[in-house]
Amino acid sequence: MTGGGRRGSAGIGALCVLAASVLWGTTGTAATFAPEVGPLAIGAVAMGLGGLLQALFAAPRIARHRTGLRERRGTVLLGAVSVAVYPLAFYSSMHLAGVAVGTVVSIGTAPLASALIERVVDGRRLTRRWTVAASLGLLGTVLLCVAEAAHAADDGGGGTGAGRPASASTTLLGVGLGLVAAATYALYAWAAHRLITRRIPSRAAMGAVFGLGGLLLLPVLLVTGAPLVGSWSNAAVGTYMALVPMFTGYVLFGWGLAHVPASTATTLSLLEPAVAAVLAVLVVGERLPATGWSGVALVIACLAVLTTPTGGGLRRGRRLAARRTGDAARGGSARRTAGADGGR
């Protein structure tokens, strides 16, 4: 593939990941419509049913590539276990430490975990561009969460979801679970990307990893999911979480992973908390102070750094095009000379 083709492919991949992040950003607002459903049930129904739907959607591809998946069963199993652990850790982290702390630890540190995995396992070097973008995104996420924490403090709660401030031990447990969520998010993104780069189509790779992860989450859903069928609104929230953010979102994420590294994908997904904050203002009626809007601006700057073609890349593309034009002209001149010689 040419340099221009690679840049175009990476651009499409980035757009897919950004679209997935927008869908993921709706989960917090959706969950407010089912306050009696616990974090384990929310995580299990979202990733569990969403994962099984992905497997069903990808069943023909999975069957076609079952030999390749079987040969890489260690990677598939690692990704599946990470898929099962991630939502339980993520939603529990927000429940115990508060939305602000849980989000910044889980989402904000995932790009760092992903980069570390790629550096240690794949020997991939971090570019200056990624480092700048990740720093902007992480700072923006921190500012967003500081704004949320200040808002929660003004309301007299925001700790455990019960209107009480979280104790130090509860907050520490929430932070620990947030780190687990970040690590497992990075792991399943890496596992899916590795399968895709080993000639497994994205649909088959994501269907196998998320389908098996969904099976692992079914026991949790059976134990904790009773409130989901307690009312039509709860059932609607569960259905939405499984179909839209998780099923559709992760199909898009899989397409994105086919074109960009896992570290880039997890950095682009920093858009998720920014979308969640804006929706909280527009739909839930929360207020976002200037600090929060500054965080949104930094996240947007992070995405711009990652997705805007660099001047060097554009110059290389123009030089390549000019070289091809010159080669074609020289080739045409040579052919015309050969024709003239043949005529003589």
Side-chain angles (χ1 to χ4, degrees), residues 156-165:
T160 61
R164 304 183 304 274

Side-chain angles (χ1 to χ4, degrees), residues 240-265:
Y240 171 82
M241 297 278 267
L243 285 177
V244 181
M246 299 306 156
F247 171 65
T248 307
Y250 278 103
V251 168
L252 289 168
F253 189 67
W255 290 343
L257 283 174
H259 303 292
V260 298
S263 56
T264 300

